[in-house]
Amino acid sequence: MIKLVSILWNSFKMALQELKVNKLRTFLSLFGITIGIFCIIGVLATVDSLNREINKELSSIGSNTIWVDKFDFTQMGPDFPWWKYVKRPNLKYTEMVFLKDNSKQSKYVSLFLGNGVNAEYAGTTLQNTILFGVSEDFAQIQGLKIVQGRFLSESDFARGTPVCVIGYQDAEDLFGAPQYAVGKMIAVNGRKLMIVGLIEKQGKSVLDVGFQYDQSIITSNIFFSSLFVEKNVGRNFIMVEPKDGVPIEALKEEIRGIMRQVRRLSPQDEDNFALNEVNFLSKLFDPLFATLNIAGWAIAGLSLIVGAFGVANIMFVTVRERTSQIGLKKALGAKKRTIMTEFLLESAFLCIVGGLVGLFLVWLLALGLSSVLPFSIFIAPRIIAMAFTICIVIGVLAGIIPASQAAKMDPVEAIRSK
């Protein structure tokens, strides 16, 4: 154990000496390692952070829910047959009630309506904010948090009371400070609404699926329907969350049967509704993630190969410069594996230094990107561990031939060399 520690320490000192004595040569040789590690950590950390943020946002809107909609998410694209789906009937409150009463596998069911509106207070007009009309289970599905006041009550939903909860940004724009919002009366499309609750600040969002709660007003679906005729409703669907342990596919089949029943579709008729999984949104980013990972690994691979040749060159020069020292060590009884281990460890330490520089550059990049992106770049420990494992492997591969040459030297001829 003491011998191993001694070898490690000597190799570390030799690596530092190489960095100190031949700064430019070592820097240029390790530059490839630095760029390679920078690419690997940078790309993986960005993709991992983006994926983490998407999953967080999907969780906040009910990642395991089904949206009963007239539009099919899976058909979205440049060739989307909008004419086929736009003619489908909108989802109705009575259909939501029927679905809720007859579903045995659902935990929560809520109608969701949305449209752009203008909100006014004391001469201040908020242009094109979003008014959501929802039913009783909406807050449970979405996990909404009210930081001041309350959410809509059962009587509010039953009677269509003109009350609402407001998003943090909308409250700030209308009243100057969000904490002054509760109890105020605002006008929405000419109708009065009393604010009874303030929604917790959500912050910037990566996904744009119509749930920007910072800039929204939420009221009951009954009051919402009194403002708009059915054909003028912008968003319209039913949210269904399964009971614990219920497979999503089983819930979809049950919903399909109930919806076909309530719409009186014959066995020959195709569905005039779509069942969309919220998790499908995360799959839309998979091709982007795959492309970024491939590009990152390609650039990193090329840089690491160049870096490996640079480190190998350093080690060849180092072996030549220390030939007499190697001969002396062997003459004093040092074994081949000891000489080889010292040079392999020195090569690995040099690559680790290059990796540390790359990690530092990624940290600086993460600080900069986190200030402008709608999510923070987080460098996971597993990514750092993988990067330094790559450094060690590259170091060993780059140093194995020079180390082998050093280990095979004849001690007499090595001592006589100049």
Side-chain angles (χ1 to χ4, degrees):
M1 183 64 183
I2 296 176
K3 185 177 181 181
L4 177 60
V5 172
S6 177
I7 293 174
L8 286 170
W9 177 244
N10 287 333
S11 300
F12 180 67
K13 286 195 300 182
M14 290 296 185
L16 290 181
Q17 182 179 352
E18 184 66 32
L19 289 171
K20 183 178 180 180
V21 175
N22 301 293
K23 298 182 181 66
L24 181 60
R25 184 182 74 185
T26 306
F27 169 76
L28 293 175
S29 298
L30 294 182
F31 187 69
I33 300 294
T34 297
I35 296 301
I37 296 302
F38 173 82
C39 292
I40 291 174
I41 298 180
V43 170
L44 292 183
T46 302
V47 171
D48 185 64
S49 299
L50 179 57
N51 195 29
R52 186 192 305 269
E53 184 67 19
I54 289 172
N55 290 330
K56 176 183 175 183
E57 291 189 19
L58 287 178
S59 178
S60 70
I61 64 174
S63 58
N64 63 334
T65 58
I66 299 295
W67 292 355
V68 186
D69 201 336
K70 65 195 299 184
F71 298 103
D72 188 346
F73 291 172
T74 62
Q75 300 299 317
M76 296 295 183
D79 300 323
F80 178 65
W82 61 270
W83 50 268
K84 174 182 176 181
Y85 295 97
V86 77
K87 294 180 180 179
R88 288 179 170 182
N90 285 338
L91 281 302
K92 300 178 180 178
Y93 178 75
T94 53
E95 292 175 334
M96 185 276 295
V97 173
F98 187 86
L99 176 59
K100 187 174 183 178
D101 291 342
N102 290 275
S103 174
K104 292 181 173 54
Q105 302 193 71
S106 63
K107 185 177 182 180
Y108 299 115
V109 181
S110 175
L111 182 65
F112 179 92
L113 307 169
N115 223 349
V117 296
N118 294 331
E120 299 179 12
Y121 174 78
T124 301
T125 301
L126 199 60
Q127 301 283 345
N128 294 322
T129 190
I130 303 296
L131 180 68
F132 294 144
V134 302
S135 56
E136 290 87 341
D137 289 350
F138 176 77
Q140 284 77 15
I141 295 175
Q142 295 292 279
L144 275 186
K145 293 182 180 178
I146 304 298
V147 294
Q148 190 175 349
R150 62 174 178 85
F151 192 64
L152 308 181
S153 65
E154 290 186 15
S155 62
D156 293 331
F157 284 112
R159 301 173 184 173
T161 310
V163 296
C164 67
V165 295
I166 192 169
Y168 202 90
Q169 185 63 53
D170 277 2
E172 189 171 53
D173 292 340
L174 280 175
F175 309 110
Q179 61 267 27
Y180 299 141
V182 175
K184 296 293 194 302
M185 191 75 72
I186 61 174
V188 174
N189 285 14
R191 296 282 297 277
K192 296 293 185 179
L193 267 174
M194 176 176 282
I195 300 173
V196 296
L198 176 67
I199 303 171
E200 182 183 45
K201 186 175 183 179
Q202 308 291 306
K204 296 178 181 179
S205 174
V206 174
L207 297 175
D208 183 10
V209 291
F211 294 100
Q212 307 299 329
Y213 290 129
D214 281 345
Q215 298 172 292
S216 67
I217 299 170
I218 300 177
T219 188
S220 67
N221 62 286
I222 295 178
F223 183 84
F224 180 98
S225 298
S226 70
L227 294 178
F228 304 98
V229 295
E230 181 180 327
K231 65 180 181 180
N232 292 331
V233 175
R235 290 298 288 126
N236 169 266
F237 55 88
I238 296 173
M239 299 173 167
V240 186
E241 181 179 323
K243 291 179 178 177
D244 296 340
V246 173
I248 205 74
E249 288 301 323
L251 178 63
K252 287 176 70 174
E253 288 306 311
E254 183 190 54
I255 294 173
R256 178 172 284 108
I258 295 173
M259 288 302 300
R260 290 184 65 86
Q261 180 184 351
V262 73
R263 290 194 166 181
R264 302 180 184 278
L265 299 177
S266 68
Q268 293 77 27
D269 295 333
E270 67 174 15
D271 294 343
N272 58 359
F273 56 89
L275 303 180
N276 297 308
E277 296 182 41
V278 176
N279 280 333
F280 173 77
L281 293 172
S282 65
K283 297 177 183 177
L284 296 176
F285 289 86
D286 288 346
L288 173 62
F289 291 159
T291 302
L292 289 175
N293 280 324
I294 291 173
W297 279 103
I299 298 172
L302 181 61
S303 300
L304 289 173
I305 290 173
V306 174
F309 280 106
V311 173
N313 179 61
I314 290 178
M315 297 312 298
F316 276 119
V317 174
T318 300
V319 169
R320 188 167 60 250
E321 291 175 345
R322 298 180 192 163
T323 299
S324 58
Q325 296 179 23
I326 295 169
L328 184 60
K329 285 183 180 181
K330 297 195 73 175
L332 294 174
K335 297 181 179 179
K336 287 184 178 181
R337 65 172 179 269
T338 302
I339 301 295
M340 193 165 186
T341 300
E342 285 183 354
F343 279 96
L344 288 179
L345 287 174
E346 183 176 343
S347 177
F349 280 134
L350 287 173
C351 287
I352 289 174
V353 170
L356 285 171
V357 176
L359 175 61
F360 176 71
L361 293 177
V362 173
W363 178 73
L364 292 179
L365 179 66
L367 289 179
L369 290 178
S370 297
S371 64
V372 297
L373 293 176
F375 62 95
S376 298
I377 303 295
F378 173 73
I379 306 175
R382 59 180 177 80
I383 295 177
I384 297 175
M386 183 191 68
F388 284 107
T389 300
I390 292 174
C391 287
I392 293 172
V393 171
I394 293 294
V396 171
L397 292 177
I400 195 165
I401 295 177
S404 179
Q405 287 183 356
K408 293 177 182 178
M409 285 183 179
D410 181 86
V412 177
E413 292 184 3
I415 292 174
R416 289 174 177 176
S417 66
K418 295 182 180 180

